[in-house]
Amino acid sequence: MPKRDSLRSVARVSRERERSAARDLGEKRRHLEEQERRMAELQEYRAHYRAQLQASGGAGLGGRQFNEYLRFLARLDQAIAQQQRAIQSCRQALGESREKWLEKRKEAKAIDKLMERRARQAECRARRREQAECDDRAGRRHGNQGGWR
């Protein structure tokens, strides 16, 4: 396989790896956003439930009902703490995915630059060859003219 074709294959694989890393990054970002939405819902639900407790606290809640409210709030607090850990994990995964994508992007750009440089070098060699051929033809014509005199 010629160098040019093998480099094209490497570039194609490199770009596919970059696209794959970009897709993974997008999935990680969407997952984080979903976890943050869940957190917002939990916090909103807790605030609503706490406001309900405060509003009904003076309205003659029995001790048992009051304790049930408190236990439920404690479970919500546990769920919120668990959700915070999930969000932190998602943020870490997102950061790692971003780093991987940046690395793959850098690799793909380096290969593209190498391909561009090689193409420019090939073009330069072709121009020099063409110039040498023109010079050679001109020299032969000049040489032929000199032989006629």
Side-chain angles (χ1 to χ4, degrees):
M1 178 181 287
K3 280 185 185 181
R4 184 180 229 180
D5 291 339
S6 64
L7 191 55
R8 281 185 185 150
S9 295
V10 169
R12 185 175 22 81
V13 168
S14 179
R15 282 191 294 273
E16 179 51 41
R17 287 180 181 162
E18 178 190 4
R19 283 190 295 271
S20 176
R23 282 190 301 272
D24 183 59
L25 177 62
E27 288 172 18
K28 297 284 192 293
R29 185 173 288 130
R30 283 186 293 281
H31 188 63
L32 174 60
E33 290 168 357
E34 179 183 321
Q35 295 302 319
E36 288 173 336
R37 274 193 302 277
R38 286 181 184 166
M39 173 62 94
E41 289 170 0
L42 282 171
Q43 289 173 332
E44 186 178 314
Y45 189 57
R46 187 191 186 286
H48 175 71
Y49 204 76
R50 186 161 185 85
Q52 254 186 337
L53 174 63
Q54 289 173 344
S56 62
L61 266 185
R64 184 172 165 233
Q65 280 183 310
F66 185 74
N67 284 335
E68 285 177 15
Y69 263 100
L70 291 179
R71 276 195 300 274
F72 187 70
L73 282 174
R75 283 197 304 267
L76 280 174
D77 287 338
Q78 288 174 346
I80 288 171
Q82 183 179 359
Q83 192 63 26
Q84 286 172 333
R85 288 188 297 275
I87 287 172
Q88 187 57 37
S89 176
C90 285
R91 285 184 178 147
Q92 183 176 351
L94 177 64
E96 291 168 2
S97 184
R98 182 178 293 119
E99 288 301 315
K100 182 178 178 182
W101 170 70
L102 287 171
E103 176 186 320
K104 298 302 177 190
R105 187 173 122 196
K106 183 179 176 182
E107 289 172 7
K109 285 186 174 199
I111 291 170
D112 287 344
K113 282 184 180 181
L114 177 60
M115 287 181 63
E116 289 172 12
R117 187 172 63 234
R118 288 209 176 152
R120 283 192 308 271
Q121 289 171 344
E123 186 179 313
C124 191
R125 282 191 303 271
R127 280 195 308 261
R128 277 192 236 123
R129 243 187 337 269
E130 185 179 320
Q131 184 63 46
E133 289 171 4
C134 286
D135 291 347
D136 189 42
R137 281 193 299 267
R140 278 185 277 169
R141 271 189 298 210
H142 182 68
N144 286 341
Q145 289 175 353
W148 293 69
R149 290 184 186 200

